[in-house]
């Protein structure tokens, strides 16, 4: 910019100059005009990008002890916090006024019910179209349990349900206000894309003679990429860092509120770059765990490794992001395999597990009321393109790593960078690839027992999702 500013001021100096135009001056003028034209053109590209960006944040740590999400084996409510939990919003607007608001949260996951409420309110109050709202959860297992579906356990203490409902409503208002605030904060901005790597995510589907066991599997597939969206003011001041990683946020399993490794990564980056909003977006980490795990020190260590991955990315070439924003959101109807029979459900209802009893009760109710069990699920897929530079695919549910590895290959060439996230818009359960489905194990089959869905998924699950992603990716990248 210095060179370019210099060129511009030199040129202006000559324009104002009373210096007589001699034949000696003319070649110099021509040289300066020649110099300033390309520099001005470059100036327009990097300084006046047409982008606007705005950020906002809110603390969402419950202010009283609450039951926590993520592990079915918990026996008591939370006991204090290690760090605050946050919801953060990044609003982006292109030159034509198309807008996107990405909201990241230190939470286990947001339900479809939550998303539908928020998108409706955001459209009503801020004219933000549904395709312009992207919600993601870090899937920390040290946050509050507030999902309505998880609270309908038989014999559940009503006080616990009421408290969760109150938190749910608090979160609705907080996140709606956050979306509005981020849009209000829109200012001219520059966007850049880069990526680094971090190595602590490990596949957790250890092969055995029968089904894979939930245990570290260092030879299994992983996605160690750390994609980074860098947001600066028009003047080049760093404003926000949005970064992703494909790994369960499960270093910790205790009774204090904490963002786990993703919380520490955000904290590290915000300490290193004062005034910056660091935001974490979860990738396809359904079958990935941080390793090793179990202590706050390890969570801090992984957080620091992830923050280092972001900083390493910033050292490399940062691709300026140009062009226009395009967003799409749609659902594809996923199919489940054969539904459990009445007899199987009656058997399940005798289980000692609250979760299994709840599942049996819900599905038996469907059978009684409708004569059949609903065999489909409306699966949400969102795609966002930032000109030719980034294609972002946001998938619902706990998506296994096969999806990001496959989609990054298949969508290569549609944009400079392909960024695939899971845990977006509706975190309802695991989303296995065909391989994982057929191998079985937790993510393939047994995790479904903790939901009220009539899973496992049918063999069509991967084809249906991938097919829809291609359709929506094509739409947002069409010229
Ligand atoms: Zn999970």
């Amino acid at each position: 910019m210095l060179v370019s500013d210099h060129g511009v001021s030199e040129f202006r100096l000559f324009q104002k100059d009373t210096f007589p135009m001699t034949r000696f001056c003319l070649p110099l003028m021509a040289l300066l005009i020649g110099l300033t034209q390309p520099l001005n053109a470059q100036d327009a590209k990097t300084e006046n990008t047409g982008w606007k960006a705005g950020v906002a944040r809110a603390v969402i740590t419950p202010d009283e002890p609450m039951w926590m999400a993520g592990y079915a084996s918990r026996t008591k409510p939370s006991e204090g916090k290690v760090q605050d939990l946050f919801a953060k919003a990044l609003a982006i607007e292109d030159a034509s006024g198309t807008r996107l608001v990405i909201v990241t949260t230190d939470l286990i996951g947001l339900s479809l019910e939550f998303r539908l409420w928020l998108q409706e309110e955001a459209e009503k109050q801020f004219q933000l179209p549904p395709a312009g709202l992207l919600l993601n959860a870090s899937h920390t297992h040290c946050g509050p349990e507030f999902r309505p579906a998880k609270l309908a356990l038989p014999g559940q203490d009503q006080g616990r349900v009421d408290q969760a409902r109150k938190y749910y409503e608090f979160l609705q208002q907080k996140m709606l206000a956050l979306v509005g605030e981020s849009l209000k904060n829109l200012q001219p901005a520059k966007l850049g894309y880069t990526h680094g790597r971090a190595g602590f995510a490990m596949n957790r589907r250890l092969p055995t003679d029968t089904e894979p066991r939930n245990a570290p599997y260092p030879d299994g597939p992983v996605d160690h990429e750390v994609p980074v969206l860098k947001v600066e003011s028009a003047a080049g001041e760093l404003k926000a860092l949005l970064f992703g990683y494909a790994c369960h946020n499960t270093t910790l399993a205790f009774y204090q509120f904490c963002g786990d490794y993703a919380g520490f990564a955000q904290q590290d980056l915000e300490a290193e770059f004062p005034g910056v909003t660091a935001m974490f977006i979860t990738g396809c980490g359904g079958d990935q765990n941080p390793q090793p795990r179990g202590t706050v020190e390890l969570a801090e260590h992984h957080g620091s490794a992830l923050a280092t991955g972001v900083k390493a990315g910033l050292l490399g070439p940062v691709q300026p992001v140009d062009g226009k924003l395009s967003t799409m959101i749609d659902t594809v109807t996923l199919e489940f395999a054969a539904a459990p029979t009445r007899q199987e459900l009656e058997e399940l209802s005798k289980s000692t597990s609250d979760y299994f009893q709840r599942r049996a009760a819900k599905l038996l109710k469907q059978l009684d009321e409708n004569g059949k069990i609903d065999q489909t699920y409306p699966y949400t897929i969102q795609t966002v393109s930032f000109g030719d530079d980034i294609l972002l695919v946001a998938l619902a549910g706990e998506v296994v790593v096969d999806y990001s590895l496959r989609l990054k290959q298949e969508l290569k060439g549609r944009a400079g960078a392909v960024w695939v996230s899971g845990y977006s818009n509706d975190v309802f359960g695991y989303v296995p690839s065909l391989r994982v489905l057929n191998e079985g194990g937790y993510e393939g089959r047994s995790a479904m027992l903790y939901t009220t869905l009539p899973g496992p998924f049918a063999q069509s699950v991967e084809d249906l999702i991938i097919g829809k992603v291609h359709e929506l990716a094509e739409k947002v990248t069409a010229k």
Side-chain angles (χ1 to χ4, degrees), residues 139 141 204 248 286 398 423 430:
H139 201 49
H141 281 43
R204 67 178 198 185
H248 256 70
E398 302 203 41
Y423 297 83
Y430 282 88

Side-chain angles (χ1 to χ4, degrees), residues 65-67 75-77 145 148 150-165 354:
M66 260 185 89
W67 283 78
T75 56
K76 57 183 179 181
E145 182 57 272
K150 295 283 175 190
L151 293 161
L153 288 172
Q156 184 91 266
D157 164 30
Q158 194 54 40
R160 177 180 165 182
V161 177
D162 293 345
Q163 189 191 33
R165 179 43 76 171
D354 288 350

Side-chain angles (χ1 to χ4, degrees), residues 326-348:
S326 182
T327 61
M328 293 283 309
I329 194 162
D330 202 356
T331 57
V332 60
T333 304
L334 297 186
E335 300 153 346
F336 293 108
T341 63
R342 181 178 290 276
Q343 198 185 350
E344 284 166 342
L345 290 172
E346 278 165 358
E347 204 53 47
L348 192 68

